[in-house]
Amino acid sequence: MSLVFFVAPGDGRHNFTRRVNLGAVRLLLIDDDVELCALLAEFLKGEGYTIECVHDGHRGLERALHGGCNLVILDVMLPGLDGFEILRRLRRESRVPVLMLTARGEDVDRIIGLELGADDYLPKPFNPRELVARVRAILRRYEPRAGSTSPRTEVNGVVLDPATRQVTVDGRPVDLTTFEFDILELLMRAAGRVLSRDDLMENLYNRKATAFDRSIDMHISHIRRKLETSRPFIKTIRSIGYQFLSGPHDEAQG
């Protein structure tokens, strides 16, 4: 059995960067394992969160979309509607960030979840403190950056504006998630240089990459698809990391 965490304000895509104080964070737990729900609810309440538990997929989707929650914990295997289908439907209306909890060795679940738009995953069994640390790290990424003074960046036809959180490629608007925007900003500000996967993981997740951690790779795959034109923008440097190309003929710098 695997779980998915969504961090989301109640009104979906259009007011997503609202600042949330820890004590005000409402969690929606969607899982048909009543005992597990009770254990997780007790632990997370001890961390200062407010919890609502739902045990079937259709009701869970309704509460995730309209229940005013800030974070949804979603089990993959559910009666009525499975977690992946809930994630698909949520993605049509919301940019909710996702932390997927998977059974150790269930690579297919991780890949599907990331392809559907999950931000990160955590294999089970896990230390509950690690779970809370990752949830808090994701919440921090989605806090608004009031009065951002970072300058607008333009490289190879891609324009990234931190003040408006907007990206265009050759004048065409590109719709990125918050994590995708942050990854692209790191790469563009280091354009022409190689950033290792550890560099990206430490900046975005406050941890080093592991040999089997594919979250950064999947996010970059999504960014490539959204930016893609007749020319490449992000080059993979095998066994090292990624380079944002300053121009069509840019080469990796060691």
Side-chain angles (χ1 to χ4, degrees):
M1 181 176 293
S2 52
L3 305 174
V4 181
F5 273 70
F6 298 93
V7 183
D11 51 357
R13 295 174 69 92
H14 304 295
N15 188 28
F16 189 69
T17 55
R18 179 183 60 175
R19 181 175 297 276
V20 179
N21 295 322
L22 178 60
V25 173
R26 298 184 65 248
L27 309 183
L28 173 64
L29 175 55
I30 308 172
D31 196 313
D32 62 341
D33 187 330
V34 177
E35 183 178 359
L36 177 62
C37 285
L39 291 171
L40 286 177
E42 182 178 0
F43 179 79
L44 291 167
K45 284 178 182 177
E47 295 295 318
Y49 298 103
T50 300
I51 314 293
E52 176 185 357
C53 296
V54 177
H55 304 300
D56 73 90
H58 287 289
R59 176 63 174 165
L61 176 61
E62 190 277 330
R63 294 303 295 161
L65 287 171
H66 307 297
C69 58
N70 301 108
L71 188 150
V72 179
I73 306 171
L74 175 63
D75 181 24
V76 171
M77 301 301 295
L78 291 165
L81 199 66
D82 70 38
F84 292 135
E85 184 59 28
I86 291 173
L87 179 52
R88 287 187 186 95
R89 296 187 189 188
L90 280 171
R91 276 289 182 247
R92 295 172 190 165
E93 302 184 35
S94 175
R95 294 179 178 176
V96 289
V98 177
L99 171 61
M100 176 176 286
L101 305 184
T102 66
R104 189 172 300 278
E106 292 294 331
D107 292 337
V108 173
D109 280 359
R110 299 173 198 172
I111 292 169
I112 292 173
L114 290 168
E115 283 286 359
L116 289 173
D119 292 278
D120 196 8
Y121 59 81
L122 181 63
K124 298 184 292 185
F126 56 85
N127 187 315
R129 295 293 175 190
E130 175 67 12
L131 172 63
V132 170
R134 293 199 185 193
V135 169
R136 287 176 175 165
I138 290 175
L139 284 168
R140 284 195 296 270
R141 302 302 310 176
Y142 284 83
E143 288 186 344
R145 301 177 183 179
S148 174
T149 59
S150 298
R152 192 177 81 153
T153 300
E154 182 171 359
V155 183
N156 198 8
V158 180
V159 177
L160 180 146
D161 189 343
T164 61
R165 305 287 288 181
Q166 293 179 341
V167 173
T168 61
V169 55
D170 297 333
R172 171 179 61 86
V174 177
D175 187 21
L176 299 179
T177 68
T178 296
F179 264 67
E180 290 166 357
F181 185 96
D182 291 340
I183 291 169
L184 182 60
E185 183 174 14
L186 288 170
L187 290 170
M188 287 182 65
R189 295 200 185 284
R193 295 188 288 113
V194 177
L195 290 183
S196 70
R197 293 174 74 248
D198 276 346
D199 290 335
L200 293 168
M201 290 294 292
E202 287 176 350
N203 271 281
L204 294 161
Y205 295 105
N206 298 316
R207 68 177 190 272
K208 290 185 179 294
T210 67
F212 301 103
D213 195 331
R214 303 262 64 89
S215 54
I216 287 292
D217 308 289
M218 295 302 297
H219 290 314
I220 287 180
S221 175
H222 296 159
I223 294 168
R224 279 177 167 145
R225 287 202 298 267
K226 292 178 180 183
L227 295 181
E228 68 180 17
T229 63
S230 59
R231 65 186 188 279
F233 293 101
I234 300 172
K235 181 176 182 177
T236 300
I237 311 301
R238 187 177 295 277
S239 301
I240 301 177
Y242 297 95
Q243 176 197 33
F244 193 89
L245 303 179
S246 298
H249 306 293
D250 197 14
E251 295 292 338
Q253 303 295 316

